[in-house]
Amino acid sequence: MEATKYNKSEIMKQAHRYYVVLGDSRKNRENNKRGRKLFSFGECLKMAWDEARRTVSEARYKEAKRKEREEMEEIRRNNPAKTVVYDACVQAAISAEYSRGRYMGD
């Protein structure tokens, strides 16, 4: 399996966005009246990396499911379902047996 290339610029931007909203910056410390946990930039960077890995993992999973679905459709196209054709006499006998409304033991 080849190594995944991540867009480090986007990861750093996302970490900075997290830090602005959740981080332990001076502005957030002054406005932290509810006593919520403030995150360091390192913690925000870790959250951004986790999100990037999760995004790649989900994309790989969706791609694998799509390929599997396409393979199944190809199999269905090449091997159509075999249908059973009853003649009228057999169909009449079957419907007569089941029309009595009692269990026949099948």
Side-chain angles (χ1 to χ4, degrees), residues 71-83:
E71 290 172 2
M72 291 303 292
E73 288 174 4
E74 184 67 27
I75 290 171
R76 285 190 198 113
R77 259 187 263 121
N78 294 337
N79 302 324
K82 295 187 168 96
T83 57

Side-chain angles (χ1 to χ4, degrees), residues 32-95:
N32 190 11
K33 295 184 170 69
R34 294 183 182 165
R36 66 183 171 95
K37 183 178 187 309
L38 299 175
F39 295 96
S40 68
F41 187 77
E43 292 169 323
C44 293
L45 187 59
K46 184 178 178 183
M47 286 189 286
W49 270 105
D50 289 341
E51 182 182 352
R53 288 185 193 106
R54 189 172 41 254
T55 303
V56 168
S57 175
E58 289 172 358
R60 283 182 180 163
Y61 176 76
K62 287 179 182 178
E63 181 65 22
K65 289 302 253 185
R66 185 188 61 77
K67 283 183 181 179
E68 181 181 331
R69 203 175 323 113
E70 287 176 355
E71 290 172 2
M72 291 303 292
E73 288 174 4
E74 184 67 27
I75 290 171
R76 285 190 198 113
R77 259 187 263 121
N78 294 337
N79 302 324
K82 295 187 168 96
T83 57
V84 178
V85 179
Y86 294 108
D87 63 0
C89 294
V90 173
Q91 187 64 37
I94 291 172
S95 62

